[in-house]
Amino acid sequence: MKTLTPQQIQFINNYLKESGVRYDDIRIEMADHVASALEGMEGDFYDNFKNYMLAHKQELLDNNKTSGKASFYRALGVLQNIIITPLFVATWLILLVLYWFIKYSYGQEITSILSIALIAVSLITYGYFIYYKVISNYNNSVIDKLINTVYFVLIIVRADRILFLEENLGAACFYCFSIAFFVVLLRSVFKINRKYKLYYGT
């Protein structure tokens, strides 16, 4: 069995990318699958590649769609796990206790500060996502589905209205909940990104 060169593997990767397989993690797995099949063939690499794609390209594109849907469900699982993780609960409670302490010990209403903190932590999370997707040119399917789902929900529920709630205990609870959520979301995105980059060596 012959081993493909890095240039040949990159050729496969580039072809899959141009064919619409846009997520790096899915494309790397797919390229590895194609490379393994080609390594078992005799003859010229490019001839073997052309014949393989003629026979299997549609199957690969169908698998790409299936993998994309699977990534979406994994992203939903991450979101579900966020609100039951001890870190989320602890962060939420600490913020509430801090709010309660400042309000009733010093008579200061800090709901507006919490709203600003929520904007900041959400922007940091999205900035981290943009950094790895655009600047680092690494597009992970699970992270993409995860972040896009969160911000799609924010658009649907009109985040611009939520961020200007009246200063009361209900608003404070919401802001503390949301800040804790984005803190754990950022941690989850970081862990997923690190896991995939270590696994795929990117």
Side-chain angles (χ1 to χ4, degrees):
M1 177 179 291
K2 59 182 179 180
T3 301
L4 299 187
T5 66
Q7 291 76 18
Q8 291 171 332
I9 294 175
Q10 186 61 47
F11 175 85
I12 298 171
N13 186 73
N14 292 340
Y15 178 88
L16 292 173
K17 186 175 183 178
E18 292 175 359
S19 298
V21 186
R22 63 192 185 98
Y23 292 118
D24 292 85
D25 52 317
I26 295 176
R27 192 170 63 252
I28 291 172
E29 286 192 4
M30 200 171 289
D32 183 66
H33 173 77
V34 174
S36 296
L38 295 178
E39 285 176 343
M41 299 179 182
E42 298 294 334
D44 180 70
F45 164 77
Y46 294 101
D47 289 338
N48 291 339
F49 177 79
K50 179 180 179 180
N51 292 331
Y52 183 89
M53 283 302 165
L54 286 174
H56 299 284
K57 183 175 181 178
Q58 188 57 51
E59 177 186 348
L60 292 172
L61 295 179
D62 291 340
N63 288 340
N64 178 49
K65 293 180 181 179
T66 302
S67 297
K69 292 179 181 179
S71 297
F72 174 72
Y73 289 116
R74 285 199 294 272
L76 291 182
V78 172
L79 290 175
Q80 181 181 6
N81 290 334
I82 283 177
I83 61 175
I84 63 174
T85 183
L87 177 61
F88 167 77
V89 176
T91 304
W92 185 21
L93 292 178
I94 289 172
L95 288 171
L96 280 175
V97 170
L98 181 62
Y99 166 81
W100 192 274
F101 176 77
I102 293 175
K103 180 177 176 63
Y104 292 98
S105 295
Y106 299 96
Q108 297 293 322
E109 178 59 64
I110 62 169
T111 307
S112 59
I113 297 177
L114 291 174
S115 68
I116 295 173
L118 174 56
I119 294 173
V121 73
S122 62
L123 289 177
I124 290 172
T125 303
Y126 200 68
Y128 179 84
F129 168 67
I130 292 298
Y131 171 79
Y132 275 98
K133 184 173 182 177
V134 179
I135 299 178
S136 293
N137 196 30
Y138 179 68
N139 194 10
N140 180 277
S141 61
V142 177
I143 293 176
D144 186 73
K145 305 291 184 183
L146 181 61
I147 297 296
N148 287 334
T149 299
V150 170
Y151 282 90
F152 176 76
V153 171
L154 290 178
I155 292 173
I156 292 298
V157 302
R158 290 294 302 275
D160 58 318
R161 293 180 179 178
I162 291 176
L163 292 175
F164 296 101
L165 296 172
E166 294 182 4
E167 294 189 348
N168 54 45
L169 182 58
C173 288
F174 169 78
Y175 289 135
C176 291
F177 177 94
S178 300
I179 292 170
F181 174 83
F182 273 102
V183 167
V184 182
L185 175 63
L186 178 60
R187 178 175 177 268
S188 298
V189 169
F190 178 81
K191 289 179 65 176
I192 293 171
N193 183 66
R194 184 171 181 272
K195 171 186 174 183
Y196 276 90
K197 289 177 76 70
L198 287 174
Y199 181 79
Y200 292 113
T202 57

